[in-house]
Amino acid sequence: MLKRTTLLLDDETRTAAHELAHRYECSVSEAIRRAVTRHRDATLGVPQARREERARILGHLFELFDGHDPEDEIRRLKEQDEGF
């Protein structure tokens, strides 16, 4: 759910917001949202829900690679590349 908030930015902050928007190729509002979220993550740490999601995805990757021999996989890929 989105909520509207009005911000009064001084010239330096407004310029910085525009520079971020240009860099991210998004609106100034989106650049500010991203900056606030990244600052929160850097200051407070990654939220619990995001950590749980990352752990779930990592666990799924472990399941996908279970039983695979990485050296055998690399050897097989190198054999396939020999023709190029």
Side-chain angles (χ1 to χ4, degrees):
M1 171 185 254
L2 298 176
K3 303 254 183 181
R4 180 178 292 268
T5 299
T6 301
L7 299 173
L8 299 175
L9 304 176
D10 58 30
D11 289 339
E12 181 182 5
T13 307
R14 186 175 50 79
T15 300
H18 282 279
E19 290 170 350
L20 284 174
H22 179 65
R23 170 71 126 198
Y24 292 151
E25 297 180 357
C26 65
S27 68
V28 172
S29 297
E30 177 62 20
I32 292 171
R33 281 191 288 274
R34 290 180 188 184
V36 169
T37 302
R38 287 182 182 172
H39 183 70
R40 180 208 56 205
D41 291 351
T43 303
L44 303 176
V46 178
Q48 181 67 27
R50 168 116 356 113
R51 284 197 306 271
E52 290 172 358
E53 178 185 17
R54 289 176 177 176
R56 182 183 55 76
I57 291 169
L58 186 59
H60 183 66
L61 286 172
F62 288 150
E63 289 175 13
L64 290 174
F65 284 101
D66 189 34
H68 290 273
D69 179 11
E71 291 179 10
D72 183 49
E73 184 74 13
I74 291 170
R75 186 172 33 259
R76 185 182 62 77
L77 291 172
K78 284 182 178 180
E79 288 172 0
Q80 289 177 356
D81 288 343
E82 286 178 5
F84 291 101

